């Protein structure tokens, strides 16, 4: 049994992601090019196979999808942070 589930969150599920990020002032042209190059690569066997060994599952996607997923995850986890009484210091 996971400790967090026993602490009052029996339906807790969690996942982790490692998105490709770039510096804040990177131009849209460069960001689009990175997306254009990386997304097909993430679907190739040469990239996917080594990542699956440690249990990673490459997904890929658009910048807009990442923004939406980040917002959703932030809203989701905010509930748990507040319930646990965590505060920023």
């Amino acid at each position: 049994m996971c400790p967090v589930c026993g602490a009052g969150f029996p339906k807790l599920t969690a996942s982790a992601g490692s998105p490709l990020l770039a510096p804040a002032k990177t131009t849209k042209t460069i960001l689009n090019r990175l997306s254009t190059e990386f997304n097909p690569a993430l679907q190739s066997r040469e990239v996917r196979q080594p990542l699956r060994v440690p249990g990673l599952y490459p997904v890929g996607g658009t910048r807009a999808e990442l923004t939406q997923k980040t917002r959703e995850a932030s809203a989701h986890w905010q509930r748990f942070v507040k319930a646990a009484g965590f505060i920023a210091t």
Side-chain angles (χ1 to χ4, degrees), residues 56-76:
L56 302 176
Y57 296 91
V59 176
T62 66
R63 292 174 24 231
E65 290 168 333
L66 176 59
T67 298
Q68 182 63 30
K69 287 179 183 182
T70 302
R71 286 182 179 143
E72 290 170 0
S74 179
H76 173 79

Side-chain angles (χ1 to χ4, degrees), residues 34-54:
L34 288 169
S35 182
T36 299
E37 298 295 332
F38 272 87
N39 278 306
L42 288 174
Q43 302 309 314
S44 74
R45 181 179 174 85
E46 294 82 10
V47 172
R48 291 179 78 80
Q49 194 61 34
L51 292 172
R52 287 201 166 178
V53 172

